[in-house]
Amino acid sequence: MKHLKQEFDKLTFKEVIIYTLAVVTMLAGLTLLFIGLFIPPEGEIHGSVLTAFGSVCIFVASLLGISLHYANELDKFKNDVQERLDEIIK
């Protein structure tokens, strides 16, 4: 648990907002699916609810994926610049 606390402390404010928004949005989508079971006809989830849940999943995936992708690209760029500077210095 200590490791998770350390990792959470490393996150920037923007990352905390993104992850919080992703979790809240996914919970809202799951709630929508759950409520869809109890709206007539009971036991059947309407196609529009499934479409909305799919949109929620895509939104959450884009939030998380875009954030991680550009963080990785930035790290690669920093490493490339550092390697080239090291080559120049040597």
Side-chain angles (χ1 to χ4, degrees):
M1 195 67 169
K2 192 177 209 181
H3 175 69
L4 289 176
K5 174 84 169 116
Q6 291 171 348
E7 290 297 318
F8 185 76
D9 290 340
K10 290 180 186 177
L11 295 177
T12 64
F13 182 71
K14 177 184 172 187
E15 290 171 332
V16 171
I17 294 294
I18 287 173
Y19 292 133
T20 303
L21 182 59
V23 169
V24 167
T25 306
M26 184 55 79
L27 289 175
L30 289 172
T31 304
L32 179 67
L33 275 178
F34 185 74
I35 290 172
L37 285 172
F38 298 105
I39 295 174
E42 289 183 14
E44 181 182 331
I45 300 176
H46 192 268
S48 63
V49 174
L50 292 174
T51 303
F53 181 69
S55 298
V56 165
C57 288
I58 290 171
F59 176 70
V60 169
S62 68
L63 279 178
L64 298 176
I66 290 172
S67 175
L68 291 174
H69 173 73
Y70 283 109
N72 288 336
E73 290 295 320
L74 182 61
D75 287 341
K76 286 180 190 176
F77 178 72
K78 287 179 182 178
N79 289 336
D80 288 344
V81 169
Q82 187 62 42
E83 287 174 7
R84 290 196 182 187
L85 286 174
D86 291 341
E87 288 174 4
I88 291 172
I89 292 173
K90 292 180 181 181

